[in-house]
């Protein structure tokens, strides 16, 4: 039987984050504040890095891409969530659901690989400084950027392909505030055990391996820095600590969601909310607040525009 004939569901009803009207209003205001205050900050980071000739090192090149990915990622879930808070019936079409799921994993997978690339950049800069300019040349940086975008695409298209091969004939009530793999799979009208295993392998195992690899790499870097007496020791420690904070913010919730069987837990929605709405806006800001060069460049940029 063809998929088109077995899939009769044309839309999903989202049950939302929470039913309490007062808490919904609080969450609405919280998301709106994040968009008004922090999202422009991400674009300011991108503008600063692109306009300041002193921020041409690979570290800042990748930071600019991190801000771009996080800003793009924040547009996948939060805007629709804000609209749904004001709507009595929260409905998303089947195609809209698949599109949201695709971009969620495309940008999320790309960001995870970007953090791996940033760890590699810091390892070469700190542990192999004499080879840094040779290894991390502009051509290599753009090649790594292409690889992470391609990796995110492959990761996401596997998810979408597995979902598209599932028949959906009802029910269509999605117990979430957005479309994601664990909840969508549970609505399929067939046995999804094998598909769930493939999804856990694709998302969960990859996420866990990247997370453990990143922690191990930064442990090596920190051990190397701790044993040195160079003048840049404190700067290197600050940079690596910031990277580790970002890694924990991104991979912690992802591991919780994707590395276990797709069974509903009470904490799922809260973890998903921070993972898809709050943390993407926070990551570049956390990094910038701990980077003196970027902060100084932002001050110069703002002072010039204020003066004129």
């Amino acid at each position: 039987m063809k998929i088109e004939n077995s899939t009769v569901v044309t839309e999903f009803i989202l049950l939302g984050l929470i039913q309490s009207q007062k808490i919904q209003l609080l969450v609405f205001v919280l998301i709106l504040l994040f968009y008004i205050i922090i999202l422009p900050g991400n674009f300011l980071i991108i503008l600063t890095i692109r306009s300041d000739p002193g921020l041409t090192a690979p570290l800042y090149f990748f930071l600019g891409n991190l801000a771009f990915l996080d800003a793009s990622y924040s547009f996948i879930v939060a805007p629709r969530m804000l609209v749904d808070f004001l709507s009595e019936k929260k409905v998303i079409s089947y195609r809209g659901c698949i599109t949201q799921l695709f971009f969620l994993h495309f940008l999320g997978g790309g960001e995870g690989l970007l953090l791996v690339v940033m760890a590699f950049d810091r390892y070469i800069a700190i542990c192999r400084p004499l080879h840094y300019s040779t290894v991390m040349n502009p051509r290599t940086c753009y090649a790594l950027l292409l690889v992470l975008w391609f990796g995110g695409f492959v990761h996401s298209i596997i998810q979408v392909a597995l979902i598209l091969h599932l028949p959906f004939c009802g029910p269509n009530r999605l117990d979430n505030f957005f479309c994601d793999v664990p909840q969508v799979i549970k609505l399929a009208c067939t046995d999804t055990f094998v598909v769930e295993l493939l999804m856990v392998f694709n998302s969960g195992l990859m996420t866990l391996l990247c997370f453990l690899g990143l922690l191990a790499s930064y442990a090596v870097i920190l051990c190397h820095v701790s044993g040195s007496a160079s003048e840049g020791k404190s700067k290197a420690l600050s940079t690596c600590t910031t990277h580790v904070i970002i890694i924990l913010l991104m991979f912690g919730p992802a591991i919780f969601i994707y590395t276990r069987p797709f069974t509903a837990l009470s904490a799922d929605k809260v973890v998903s909310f921070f993972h898809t709405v709050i943390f993407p806006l926070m990551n570049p800001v956390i990094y910038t607040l701990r980077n003196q060069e970027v902060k100084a460049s932002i001050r110069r940029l703002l002072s010039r525009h204020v003066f004129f």
Side-chain angles (χ1 to χ4, degrees):
M1 184 180 289
K2 293 183 179 180
I3 297 172
E4 289 79 1
N5 294 335
S6 59
T7 300
V8 297
V9 170
T10 59
E11 63 182 22
F12 293 105
I13 299 174
L14 301 173
L15 299 184
L17 178 63
I18 199 165
Q19 301 302 317
S20 171
Q21 293 294 327
K22 290 183 179 180
I23 298 180
Q24 280 192 20
L25 179 61
L26 179 63
V27 174
F28 178 87
V29 173
L30 178 65
I31 298 174
L32 199 59
L33 285 175
F34 265 74
Y35 261 85
I36 293 173
I37 298 172
I38 299 180
L39 188 59
N42 284 341
F43 289 114
L44 179 61
I45 293 170
I46 298 171
L47 178 63
T48 301
I49 291 173
R50 289 185 63 86
S51 62
D52 193 331
L55 300 178
T56 56
L59 171 65
Y60 304 112
F61 171 76
F62 293 129
L63 175 59
N65 281 279
L66 175 66
F68 174 76
L69 276 172
D70 275 324
S72 302
Y73 190 85
S74 67
F75 281 109
I76 300 173
V77 175
R80 183 180 182 88
M81 190 178 179
L82 289 173
V83 173
D84 284 342
F85 278 138
L86 305 176
S87 305
E88 186 176 344
K89 191 176 181 182
K90 305 170 180 60
V91 176
I92 184 170
S93 67
Y94 176 80
R95 290 186 177 182
C97 182
I98 297 299
T99 302
Q100 188 180 65
L101 191 149
F102 169 78
F103 282 105
L104 191 74
H105 287 271
F106 174 40
L107 296 177
E111 183 172 346
L113 294 175
L114 176 58
L115 294 178
V116 173
V117 170
M118 293 176 73
F120 175 73
D121 170 75
R122 289 301 86 201
Y123 172 78
I124 299 297
I126 296 171
C127 301
R128 299 289 186 271
L130 297 178
H131 301 88
Y132 184 72
S133 59
T134 304
V135 175
M136 298 303 295
N137 56 67
R139 179 177 295 181
T140 301
C141 292
Y142 281 106
L144 290 172
L145 190 65
L146 181 63
V147 168
L148 70 90
W149 278 102
F150 179 73
F153 175 80
V154 171
H155 161 69
S156 183
I157 206 68
I158 291 173
Q159 308 272 66
V160 171
L162 291 173
I163 292 289
L164 289 176
H165 279 78
L166 294 175
F168 294 91
C169 52
N172 66 338
R173 295 171 68 85
L174 200 63
D175 189 17
N176 210 339
F177 56 92
F178 70 105
C179 284
D180 200 7
V181 173
Q183 293 79 30
V184 173
I185 281 184
K186 289 300 182 182
L187 297 181
C189 303
T190 186
D191 182 18
T192 59
F193 178 75
V194 175
V195 177
E196 287 186 38
L197 286 181
L198 293 174
M199 291 290 192
V200 170
F201 179 80
N202 182 38
S203 291
L205 185 60
M206 186 189 76
T207 301
L208 185 61
L209 290 177
C210 286
F211 176 70
L212 295 176
L214 285 167
L215 289 185
S217 66
Y218 279 112
V220 172
I221 293 172
L222 291 172
C223 288
H224 179 85
V225 171
S226 299
S228 67
S230 61
E231 295 181 358
K233 179 177 178 179
S234 60
K235 180 181 177 180
L237 283 172
S238 176
T239 300
C240 290
T241 302
T242 305
H243 282 199
V244 171
I245 292 173
I246 293 175
I247 289 168
L248 292 174
L249 288 178
M250 177 177 177
F251 283 95
I255 290 172
F256 177 82
I257 296 169
Y258 299 114
T259 58
R260 58 182 173 82
F262 295 153
T263 54
L265 296 178
S266 57
D268 283 350
K269 290 184 181 181
V270 176
V271 174
S272 295
F273 172 70
F274 281 96
H275 181 58
T276 58
V277 179
I278 303 299
F279 290 153
L281 295 174
M282 290 293 292
N283 286 345
V285 176
I286 291 172
Y287 189 95
T288 304
L289 290 176
R290 296 178 63 90
N291 190 293
Q292 299 300 324
E293 287 81 0
V294 177
K295 284 198 296 185
S297 182
I298 289 176
R299 291 193 195 99
R300 290 195 297 269
L301 180 66
L302 291 176
S303 64
R304 287 200 300 268
H305 282 275
V306 170
F307 178 77
F308 287 106

